[in-house]
Structures are given as C-alpha cells and as structure tokens.
C-alpha cells in the first residue's frame, strides 16, 4: 500500500511538474494579459454583444496563438536564456524539456488557434494572427541580438491583439481597430524599456541591447521613454474621437497616463533602477485601468 501511495504521489508530482513547464513555455501569465486585450478589442466592436458566448472561444484561440509564439521564442532563445538569471530556470535551458517537445507544443497550439479563429470568427483574423506570430517569433526574436530597434519591431506584433479582436468581431481592418492598435503600440515602449532598464545586466549577459540609443542606461534612454509616454497619452484620444470608447475610458487613460508620465519624468531625473521599477508598475496600472474602463464604457 505504501508503494502504491508513493507511486501515485510520484505520478502526481510528474504531472504537476510537466503542467508547470508548459505554463512556463507558453508564458501563460503574460499570454493572459495579451489575450485579454484581444477580447476587449472584440467587445469594442459596436455590433458585438458584451455577453457573447464566443468570447470564451476567442480567449482559447488567443491563448493558443500567443502561447505558441512564446514557445517558438523560447525554443530559439534557449541558449541565451541559459545565460540570464531570470530565464535560466525555464524548461528548455534547464534541460527539463527537449527542443522537439517544445516544437511540437508550438505547432499544435498554432494549428488549434488558427482553426478556431477561421471556423468560429473569420479567416482574416486567423491570417493576421499568423502574421503576428511570425513577426514575434521569427523577426523580433533574432533581431534582439542585433540592435535596440528590436523593441520597435516587436511593438508591431505586440500591438496586434486588440486589432485581431476587432477583426474577429467586425471582419474588417477598420479605423476603430487601428486606433486600439496604436494605443497598445505606444504603451509597449515605456513598459518594455522599463523592464529592459531593470534587467539591463541580465540582457547584457545574453548579448541583447534593448534600451534605445546606445543600449545603455542613460539620460537619452530615459528621455526616449518620456517621449513615447507622451505619444501614448495622445494616442488615447483617437479611440474616443472614433467613438470606440467613451468619456469614462478616456478619463481613466488620462488619469493613469498622468501618473505614468510622472514616473517617466522621475526616471529622467534620477536615471536609476528604482524609478524604472516604479515606471513598470505604472505602465501595468495604465494598461489594466484602460482595458477595464473600455469594458465599463461598453456596458
């Protein structure tokens, strides 16, 4: 009986460990935030009912595509991930998963996501999702080893989820969807550059230069972050002018945007990692506040 319990416990541990590895491979927490913006983009389409049963299908499809993109990313960066403290424990560099298994997971998720989008929504949403995956996995990922323009390149697939959601709901590449794309496009710069500032030494060990300019922590990089924060706040007016969202979401964007701008200015003043960390959290606050404010406006 003791042996049976031990075997059962070992099996449970193995299943739990494998599930944890798959969550790490697909970066589930990050994927959840990305897909949430896709669902919000879908719900912002005027003819889509906020209680639509298809929301769950879109969420599953989005998790599949985003998870696949992250799996491809980790597959290609397994050697550099091993050099960084923050990524060395991932399943591929740690040796808990073989590249063939990661590739299989990525391909299966890609196929599942594209089929769901094509069958339950429209082929255009599937095609744009495939373009987003390819840009992230096969353009942005290798570009990180060349120069800091990788952040600009990566901002395109990073901003496509709300547009994909809009396409899923409307079937068109109309102005409303593009306005949500621009909002998320500009948001990524203060968000990701704050992370790159904090993890600068780690990225250097892997040969990545992700901060703007020379790729170092200096006043120029801080000013670039401040500039893109201003562009983000300005971009928040476009969905309002196009009647994608109303005054509540605009107000939420302006209030949290003002706080984000303050944090960006403090980074310019101090040029230290503590200010960058506060900026990173301010960017998360902005993102979450605006997304929920859009839903409240729709209701």
């Amino acid at each position: 009986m003791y042996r049976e319990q031990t075997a059962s416990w070992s099996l449970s541990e193995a299943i739990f460990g494998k599930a944890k590895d798959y969550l790490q491979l697909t970066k589930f927490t990050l994927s959840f935030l990305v897909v949430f913006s896709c669902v919000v983009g879908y719900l912002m389409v005027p003819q889509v009912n906020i209680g639509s049963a298809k929301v769950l299908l879109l969420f599953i499809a989005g998790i599949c595509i985003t998870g696949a993109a992250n799996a491809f990313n980790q597959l290609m960066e397994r050697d550099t991930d091993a050099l960084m403290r923050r990524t060395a424990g991932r399943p591929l560099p740690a040796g808990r998963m073989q590249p063939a298994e990661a590739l299989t997971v990525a391909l299966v998720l890609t196929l599942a996501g594209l089929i769901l989008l094509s069958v339950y929504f429209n082929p255009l949403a599937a095609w744009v999702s495939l373009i987003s995956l390819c840009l992230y996995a096969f353009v942005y990922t290798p570009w990180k080893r060349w120069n800091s323009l990788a952040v600009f390149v990566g901002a395109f697939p990073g901003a496509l989820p709300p547009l994909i959601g809009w396409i899923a709901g409307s079937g068109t590449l109309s102005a409303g969807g593009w306005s949500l794309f621009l909002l998320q496009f500009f948001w990524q710069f203060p968000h990701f550059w704050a992370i790159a500032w904090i993890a600068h030494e780690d990225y250097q060990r892997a040969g990545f230069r992700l901060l703007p300019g020379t790729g170092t922590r200096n006043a120029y990089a801080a000013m670039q972050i401040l500039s893109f924060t201003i562009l983000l706040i300005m971009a928040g007016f476009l969905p309002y002018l196009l009647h994608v969202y109303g005054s509540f979401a605009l107000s939420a964007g302006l209030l949290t945007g003002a706080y984000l701008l303050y944090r960006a200015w403090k980074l310019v003043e101090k040029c230290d990692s503590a200010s960058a960390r506060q900026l990173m959290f301010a960017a998360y606050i902005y993102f979450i506040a605006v997304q929920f404010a859009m839903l409240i406006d729709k209701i």
Side-chain angles (χ1 to χ4, degrees):
M1 185 174 179
Y2 174 75
R3 289 180 179 178
E4 288 178 359
Q5 288 179 333
T6 303
S8 176
W9 180 253
S10 298
L11 179 62
S12 299
E13 280 188 321
I15 293 171
F16 178 78
K18 181 57 69 175
K20 186 178 178 181
D21 282 345
Y22 284 150
L23 290 176
Q24 280 189 298
L25 181 70
T26 57
K27 299 181 187 176
F28 183 79
T29 303
L30 176 62
S31 294
F32 184 91
L33 287 175
V34 170
V35 176
F36 182 65
S37 71
C38 177
V39 170
V40 171
Y42 172 72
L43 293 173
M44 289 300 102
V45 177
Q47 61 265 34
V48 171
N49 190 309
I50 199 160
S52 172
K54 293 174 74 173
V55 167
L56 181 59
L57 286 171
L58 181 61
F59 181 81
I60 294 171
I63 285 290
C64 287
I65 296 293
T66 309
N70 289 325
F72 280 122
N73 169 269
Q74 290 189 42
L75 185 62
M76 296 175 67
E77 290 189 341
R78 59 189 185 276
D79 293 334
T80 50
D81 277 351
L83 302 174
M84 297 188 289
R85 282 193 294 268
R86 58 189 288 271
T87 56
R90 287 174 176 174
L92 284 166
R96 297 192 307 274
M97 185 181 296
Q98 293 302 309
E101 183 181 354
L103 178 61
T104 302
V105 170
L107 291 174
V108 169
L109 288 176
T110 300
L111 186 60
L114 294 177
I115 289 173
L116 285 172
L117 287 171
S118 298
V119 172
Y120 293 101
F121 297 94
N122 53 72
L124 181 58
W127 277 110
V128 177
S129 296
L130 181 59
I131 290 169
S132 177
L133 184 154
C134 291
L135 281 174
Y136 180 81
F138 307 117
V139 180
Y140 163 71
T141 296
W143 202 310
K144 286 197 291 183
R145 302 181 184 185
W146 304 335
N147 55 52
S148 60
L149 281 176
V151 177
F152 180 78
V153 173
F156 284 92
L160 282 173
L163 178 59
I164 292 167
W166 184 275
I167 295 168
S170 67
T172 63
L173 284 161
S174 52
W178 284 113
S179 70
L180 296 177
F181 168 87
L182 279 178
L183 189 63
Q184 193 145 313
F185 179 82
F186 287 118
W187 171 80
Q188 291 174 91
F189 291 93
H191 162 69
F192 187 78
W193 277 335
I195 295 173
W197 191 295
I198 297 164
H200 180 62
E201 287 84 1
D202 232 9
Y203 282 131
Q204 274 192 319
R205 273 190 288 273
F208 298 150
R209 295 196 331 181
L210 298 175
L211 286 170
T214 59
T216 57
R217 292 185 285 201
N218 54 29
Y220 175 81
M223 282 300 299
Q224 289 297 304
I225 294 171
L226 180 66
S227 300
F228 275 88
T229 302
I230 294 170
L231 289 173
L232 167 63
I233 295 170
M234 293 172 62
F237 284 96
L238 189 56
Y240 175 76
L241 294 173
L242 292 172
H243 306 292
V244 174
Y245 57 57
S247 56
F248 185 77
L250 177 64
S251 299
L254 291 174
L255 285 172
T256 53
Y259 178 64
L260 183 62
L261 186 64
Y262 168 74
R263 284 299 165 199
W265 176 250
K266 296 305 288 184
L267 181 62
V268 171
E269 281 188 335
K270 297 183 178 181
C271 285
D272 63 355
S273 293
S275 299
R277 192 175 300 278
Q278 290 172 323
L279 175 66
M280 179 187 70
F281 285 121
Y284 279 124
I285 292 169
Y286 177 92
F287 180 86
I288 294 168
V290 171
Q291 297 292 319
F292 276 105
M294 282 195 270
L295 291 178
I296 292 169
D297 258 340
K298 179 66 182 273
I299 294 171

